[in-house]
Amino acid sequence: MKAAILQERGRNGLRVRDVPMPVRRPGEVLLRVHAAALNRVDLYMRDNGAGITHRLPQTLGVEAAGVVVEADADSGLEIGLHPGKKAVVYANAFCGKCRYCLAGDQPLCLHAHIMGEHRDGGFAEYVAMPARCVLPLPDHVDLVEAGALLAAYLTAWRMLFGKRALRPGETVLIAGVGGGVAVACLQLALHAGARVLVTSSSDDKLARAQAMGASGGVNYRREKVAKRVLEMTSGEGVDMVIDSSGAASWDDSLRSLRRGGRLVTCGATTGSNPPADLQRIFIRQLEVYGSTGGSVAECHQLLALFASGAIRPVIDRRFVLDDIGAAFDQLEHGNQFGKVVVTMA
C-alpha cells in the first residue's frame, strides 16, 4: 500500500512510499482510509517531534475516515464494525484501565498511544486501530468531511463545552480565525446560540467568518484587539476567549475578558511562555485552562451532530496522497480557511 512516511526531519524527509499492509491484531479493526485531514501536530511531527515518544520511519496523520475491511467477528458485530461499514478513527488509543479512562476522560490517559504520533497514522491507504477507537458512521455521511472532523472539531467541542460550557447568549472571542480549530469553534459556538467575535490578520478571513455568522471581526495588524473588543461589548468584555496562538495574542486575550471570564487554550504556535499577568488574573477572577482532544462520549455527541447535518466541516482544499508535500505547504503558509484534507484515491 501507499503511505506518507516520515524518514527524517524536515520537508524533504516526508515521502510517499510503498510499504507492507498493517497487520490487524485481535481486537483491532483494519480500515481502508478514504480521507485524512492535516493538523498543526503533523507539521510539528515532521519538523521537530520533541516530547513525543516515537521512532522513525513512521506514517504520519492523526485523522482517518474510511471503510472497515476486517474486524473481529464478535466485537465487530457488537459495535457495528462489519466489513463495508463507514467509520472514523478516534486517534487516541487509550488504555481503558487507568484512573482517567475509568472516569471517561480518555484524553488524559496515562498510557495513550496516539495515531500519527506514537504509532503509524492515517496518511496511508490502510490503518489498523483498536476496535474501541473506530466509530461507525451512517451510510449517508461524506467520508471526506468525516476525515476532517475528529481533530479540529472534537478539540473545539471540548474547548467550548468541556469544563465550563459556553451558554446561549454568551459572547466568545476566537483568536486567529482561519485555522481548523478556530473555524470549528466558530461553527459550534454559533450552533450553541452564542455571539461570536473573531480576530485575524486577513480581511478576507474576517469577511468569511462574518458571512458565516460572526458578529464582528478585528484585524490585529491594524487595530488594538482588546480595545476594539471592549468597544463591541459595551465596555464589558467577552465571556470566553478561544486562543490557540499563545504568546502573540495572550495579552489581548486576557484583556478582552470580562470579570470572571475564562480563557481556553489548545496551542502555542507563536510561543509557549507569554507573560502570565497574574494580577489581572486574580483581581478580575479570570479562569485559564488548557484543552486537548476530547473524550469518547464527547466524540459521540459530535458525531451525532455531524450525522444530523447540523455541522459540516469547512474544507479549504483537497490533495491526493501523492501530493502530500503540497498539502503540508498549504497548511504551513497559514492561508487556509478551514481544513486541508488528503484523499487516498
Side-chain angles (χ1 to χ4, degrees):
M1 70 168 188
K2 287 183 178 180
I5 307 294
L6 183 65
Q7 297 174 270
E8 59 184 9
R9 300 295 173 205
R11 187 179 188 279
N12 294 328
L14 181 65
R15 304 279 179 158
V16 176
R17 293 172 44 196
D18 287 316
V19 297
M21 290 264 294
V23 177
R24 185 187 74 85
R25 299 180 177 89
E28 292 186 338
V29 170
L30 181 66
L31 191 79
R32 178 169 57 82
V33 181
H34 183 82
L38 270 70
N39 295 276
R40 298 297 303 185
V41 68
D42 298 314
L43 278 172
Y44 181 74
M45 285 292 294
R46 187 194 71 176
D47 297 337
N48 190 313
I52 299 175
T53 303
H54 62 283
R55 293 182 178 179
L56 301 183
Q58 178 174 314
T59 305
L60 296 187
V62 299
E63 294 197 77
V67 176
V68 173
V69 176
E70 295 177 8
D72 291 349
D74 50 355
S75 62
L77 289 174
E78 181 181 339
I79 57 179
L81 293 173
H82 53 80
K85 181 64 175 175
K86 289 183 179 180
V88 66
V89 176
Y90 178 79
N92 183 3
F94 56 95
C95 74
K97 299 176 181 179
C98 71
R99 59 179 291 190
Y100 300 107
C101 287
L102 293 175
D105 205 2
Q106 295 87 1
L108 295 178
C109 175
L110 296 172
H111 309 291
H113 290 85
I114 298 173
M115 182 180 75
E117 295 185 26
H118 308 108
R119 56 186 291 159
D120 283 337
F123 296 146
E125 291 180 315
Y126 294 87
V127 68
M129 283 288 284
R132 62 180 176 271
C133 297
V134 183
L135 308 177
L137 293 170
D139 292 338
H140 71 271
V141 302
D142 183 276
L143 284 175
V144 175
E145 292 182 352
L149 192 67
L150 285 199
Y153 284 78
L154 185 56
T155 296
W157 186 281
R158 190 174 179 90
M159 292 180 80
L160 291 170
F161 310 123
K163 292 188 177 179
R164 189 147 72 85
L166 183 69
R167 297 185 296 273
E170 287 193 310
T171 301
V172 58
L173 173 67
I174 300 171
V177 76
V181 172
V183 173
C185 283
L186 169 62
Q187 290 177 276
L188 292 171
L190 290 170
H191 180 78
R195 181 190 182 207
V196 182
L197 306 177
V198 297
T199 75
S200 176
S201 61
S202 163
D203 288 336
D204 178 65
K205 290 181 181 182
L206 292 175
R208 292 187 65 175
Q210 289 177 273
M212 291 175 63
S215 297
V218 184
N219 188 316
Y220 57 76
R221 297 292 188 199
R222 297 197 306 267
E223 301 178 272
K224 294 181 183 287
V225 172
K227 179 182 178 182
R228 185 73 186 102
V229 168
L230 289 175
E231 291 173 355
M232 291 190 286
T233 56
S234 302
E236 184 176 4
V238 299
D239 300 284
M240 177 186 281
V241 174
I242 298 294
D243 190 320
S244 61
S245 174
S249 55
W250 195 258
D251 183 63
D252 275 320
S253 292
L254 287 177
R255 291 178 179 275
S256 295
L257 285 169
R258 66 163 175 83
R259 292 176 180 270
R262 64 263 198 210
L263 189 160
V264 192
T265 177
C266 72
T269 55
T270 63
S272 58
N273 292 292
D277 200 357
L278 292 179
Q279 284 185 320
R280 174 171 293 273
I281 290 173
F282 68 72
I283 289 173
R284 300 179 71 87
Q285 300 189 44
L286 306 178
E287 297 178 66
V288 178
Y289 49 91
S291 188
T292 301
S295 69
V296 173
E298 290 167 325
C299 187
H300 281 297
Q301 291 175 308
L302 174 63
L303 288 177
L305 194 66
F306 170 61
S308 75
I311 291 292
R312 297 184 62 187
V314 175
I315 296 174
D316 178 79
R317 287 190 64 184
R318 304 182 188 190
F319 295 84
V320 296
L321 181 60
D322 285 334
D323 293 333
I324 197 166
F328 269 77
D329 290 344
Q330 176 74 4
L331 183 66
E332 187 172 21
H333 294 155
N335 295 323
Q336 80 280 3
F337 190 93
K339 300 295 294 181
V340 177
V341 179
V342 172
T343 58
M344 304 308 137

